[in-house]
Amino acid sequence: MTRGVLVGRRPAPGEVADAYDAVVIGSGAGGLTTAVCLARQGRRVAVFEQHYTAGGYTHAYRRRGWEWDVGIHYVGQLAPREPVRVLSDYLTGGALRWAPLGDPYDEYRLGGEVHRAPVGFDAYRAGLIARFPAERAGIEALFRLIARCRATMPALALGRLSGPVARRLARLLRAAAVPPEALRPAREVVAGLVRDERLRQAVLTPSVLLLADSSSRLPFFLLAVLFEHFRTGAWYPVGGSAAIARALAEPVRAAGGEVFVRTPVARITLDGTRATGVVLADGTRVRAPVVVSAAGAHHTYRTLLPRPSGAAPEPDPLEGLRNGYPFVLLFLGLDGDPAELGLPRHNLMVTDGDCDAFFDAGAGKGVLDGGTGPAPGGGPAGSAAPTSGLFLSFSCAKDPTWTARHPGRSTGEILAFVDPELFAPFRGSRWRDRDPEYLALKAALAERLLDRLYRELPRTRGRVAYHELGTPLTAEHFAGWPGGSLYGLAKDVAAFGDGHRPGLADRLRPRTAHEGLYLAGQDVLAGGFMGAVTGGLLAAHEALDRRGRARLWTGLLASATGRSRGASDLA
């Protein structure tokens, strides 16, 4: 029998206890990671999620017989003893299984040129040299620099922790193993190594489209992180992305806790500067010595925390930080098996050849469409709206259980970033009760994305039986991210610092200024699944006492050395 995609349950009247060992606000990958880490140290944890299902951007949903993931398209570093594999096996006891995507794991169509991302640095480097032989020296220097940036993320993660030992180790690691180029803009660094503009676009496009910002603002180490993350390939959760939250919920329940859905938190309660629990939207008060917010820094500081009543306002930890770019996501339901429709297992990215144009222009006035077709407001693409690219993903082709679960059907998603102001006229409207002009805009955007789908994958023409478009307002309604950002706050050079001045995001540490209150998720360190999980791990470390921390890291070490139960990949 197929397991459902809905995870968590709505509490019965009076079921939520008066007190727990810890409360976690938000059930995305970061919040559930913290909850599991605490539960594995014997803590009884209540996770409160305002959506009807748990998982955040890892959740899945069904409509009219089709099933879609909303955020997980692939995950790297899942080879034996790699970081995500270690965390996955530790958190789920090996219950969460992953299927490799194969080789290549990505394909880029850049202004008509096709590039494929092969597994392994050697293959990737050799492919670029074969295509750009005159740039051999620059390509080799680029990959040497990428390898030298491997310690950047660990150094930044250690620097987010509060203990003097962790801070000292972070400073030593940063001084010894983080090159100065790591924190400089990616475009500047790449331009200093290679001259061919086509090669620059081939190198920069993945980070721009996956991290949703211009390479003039993204620090180079994030480009390096993506190369390293997928160095040994990419994987997809067996059974769909809902399997992630389902596997993470079990250890929370086993320790006496629960993942509650349709249970929004109205505010965090304080006694002076100490967090003491939360008040739910229905007025229920829940006490806990540990409160973890995985609902995003903006929502935490601007909505959940009481405003200070003193004469002198507290420093704003969000000052100067940008929100990330919003997006639209077209969900496709197709008649036919993935093989019949020619749907790739790898992801497909399409640009007009200038991956930065949209973001450099301040987002333009429309949807990113690969450089073809009229802009939503009329006029040719590139006049009203600089274009950058689309991201196409077909989970039905990645999940080895799909065909058995959904014979004769396929699903996919097309993601495109949009102008933050495109949907501004409709802010304040209610879900399922939007203005007719909003619906017309959605229809126009969906038509453009479908047109691009048919050109890139011709066998899908005439086979799309159902589609619906999620907008930034949809994302804001369900995920709570201001403006519908995919990654929360922007992960740019200003956020991380330039190596001389501290980054603005240094203020967003997992341990907050309020005793007993911690931050988890993407805003703690980095975006995406790995960033969210790392943020959750850091929050758990800070929230545990010395004995709990020792047990946490001992458990992770056992997982890394193969002494804990794990699961094998499927072929």
Side-chain angles (χ1 to χ4, degrees):
M1 183 173 68
T2 301
R3 302 185 73 176
V5 297
L6 300 184
V7 180
R9 60 185 181 83
R10 190 172 190 169
E15 181 182 1
V16 175
D18 294 333
Y20 292 87
D21 296 326
V23 161
V24 175
I25 307 168
S27 67
L32 288 176
T33 294
T34 303
V36 173
C37 289
L38 298 179
R40 289 206 178 280
Q41 316 319 318
R43 275 47 168 191
R44 184 180 179 221
V45 184
V47 180
F48 294 117
E49 169 59 52
Q50 58 92 27
H51 195 12
Y52 62 71
T53 185
Y57 278 135
T58 72
H59 86 265
Y61 78 102
R62 289 177 181 160
R63 188 96 77 227
R64 301 186 185 184
W66 281 280
E67 178 182 314
W68 295 277
D69 296 345
V70 301
I72 290 291
H73 302 113
Y74 56 173
V75 177
Q77 293 185 309
L78 277 156
R81 300 188 182 183
E82 285 195 306
V84 182
R85 167 65 69 186
V86 171
L87 280 165
S88 175
D89 286 350
Y90 172 75
L91 294 171
T92 72
L96 182 58
R97 297 181 298 159
W98 300 86
L101 265 61
D103 194 354
Y105 58 87
D106 271 335
E107 180 179 320
Y108 315 108
R109 299 180 182 180
L110 316 180
E113 292 189 2
V114 177
H115 299 259
R116 293 183 176 88
V119 174
F121 275 8
D122 290 344
Y124 212 128
R125 180 172 53 241
L128 289 177
I129 291 173
R131 194 157 208 162
F132 303 95
E135 295 281 3
R136 182 186 189 98
I139 293 169
E140 291 178 341
L142 172 68
F143 277 86
R144 286 195 298 270
L145 181 57
I146 287 171
R148 288 173 57 209
C149 288
R150 284 174 177 164
T152 306
M153 189 64 82
L156 292 172
L158 278 171
R160 290 287 199 269
L161 297 178
S162 60
V165 174
R167 296 281 184 87
R168 189 176 304 113
L169 287 174
R171 287 194 296 270
L172 291 173
L173 183 60
R174 191 161 176 167
V178 177
E181 296 94 334
L183 297 172
R184 285 166 47 196
R187 184 196 299 177
E188 174 187 318
V189 175
V190 172
L193 296 172
V194 299
R195 297 181 300 276
D196 191 303
E197 182 59 27
R198 291 163 49 241
L199 173 56
R200 293 177 187 174
Q201 293 294 332
V203 170
L204 293 171
T205 292
S207 59
V208 170
L209 295 187
L210 289 173
L211 301 175
D213 211 340
S214 168
S215 62
S216 67
R217 289 187 291 268
L218 291 170
F220 178 80
F221 85 85
L222 286 181
L223 178 149
V225 163
L226 284 179
F227 272 92
E228 177 67 21
H229 189 65
F230 295 114
R231 179 172 56 86
T232 58
W235 286 258
Y236 183 81
V238 175
S241 67
I244 297 173
R246 190 162 53 237
L248 292 174
E250 289 305 316
V252 176
R253 295 192 182 108
E258 184 56 271
V259 178
F260 294 114
V261 299
R262 298 183 186 270
T263 314
V265 171
R267 68 180 186 276
I268 297 167
T269 57
L270 300 176
D271 181 3
T273 61
R274 178 177 179 81
T276 58
V278 299
V279 176
L280 305 181
D282 65 2
T284 302
R285 302 181 73 90
V286 182
R287 292 178 289 108
V290 170
V291 177
V292 180
S293 178
H298 192 283
H299 187 55
T300 302
Y301 284 104
R302 299 285 167 82
T303 304
L304 296 176
L305 278 171
R307 295 189 179 276
S309 57
E314 296 180 3
D316 182 2
L318 303 179
E319 184 178 357
L321 290 166
R322 299 186 297 121
N323 284 331
Y325 275 88
F327 64 100
V328 293
L329 191 57
L330 183 65
F331 298 98
L332 306 164
L334 303 100
D335 287 329
D337 290 329
E340 176 189 355
L341 299 174
L343 303 179
R345 294 180 72 188
H346 59 259
N347 300 297
L348 179 60
M349 301 184 199
V350 183
T351 82
D352 62 4
D354 186 350
C355 59
D356 282 326
F358 172 83
F359 300 103
D360 285 341
K365 297 297 178 186
V367 64
L368 316 191
D369 68 349
T372 59
S383 59
T387 60
S388 179
L390 305 176
F391 183 95
L392 294 86
S393 173
F394 299 92
S395 54
C396 59
K398 302 172 185 178
D399 181 5
T401 72
W402 175 271
T403 301
R405 295 190 294 123
H406 301 284
R409 289 192 165 200
S410 296
T411 58
E413 304 85 41
I414 306 177
L415 185 146
F417 295 99
V418 295
D419 181 345
E421 297 305 313
L422 188 62
F423 288 88
F426 312 110
R427 288 182 186 140
S429 59
R430 299 179 62 185
W431 183 56
R432 291 185 172 174
D433 188 25
R434 309 286 195 194
D435 190 283
E437 292 184 12
Y438 169 84
L439 302 179
L441 176 59
K442 285 183 61 173
L445 295 176
E447 183 179 353
R448 288 166 60 78
L449 296 175
L450 285 171
D451 179 67
R452 193 65 189 190
L453 168 72
Y454 300 145
R455 276 179 285 164
E456 300 299 332
L457 298 170
R459 286 157 67 180
T460 63
R461 187 179 294 275
R463 309 301 291 273
V464 176
Y466 178 79
H467 68 269
E468 62 180 53
L469 186 80
T471 74
L473 301 187
T474 314
E476 191 166 9
H477 172 80
F478 285 113
W481 294 101
S485 167
L486 184 61
Y487 299 123
L489 296 170
K491 310 300 187 283
D492 56 14
V493 171
F496 286 107
D498 59 8
H500 303 288
R501 292 166 295 183
L504 298 176
D506 285 356
R507 302 187 296 252
L508 299 177
R509 301 178 185 277
R511 182 184 293 272
T512 73
H514 299 277
E515 187 180 355
L517 175 62
Y518 306 89
L519 291 180
Q522 297 187 105
D523 285 341
V524 169
L525 184 63
F529 179 77
M530 182 58 177
V533 169
T534 303
L537 178 63
L538 295 178
H541 170 94
E542 294 285 66
L544 288 166
D545 57 20
R546 183 175 297 179
R547 178 178 296 181
R549 291 175 183 176
R551 293 180 59 185
L552 170 63
W553 293 104
T554 299
L556 285 166
L557 180 61
S559 181
T561 55
R563 294 200 300 271
S564 63
R565 182 170 58 89
S568 300
D569 290 335
L570 296 186

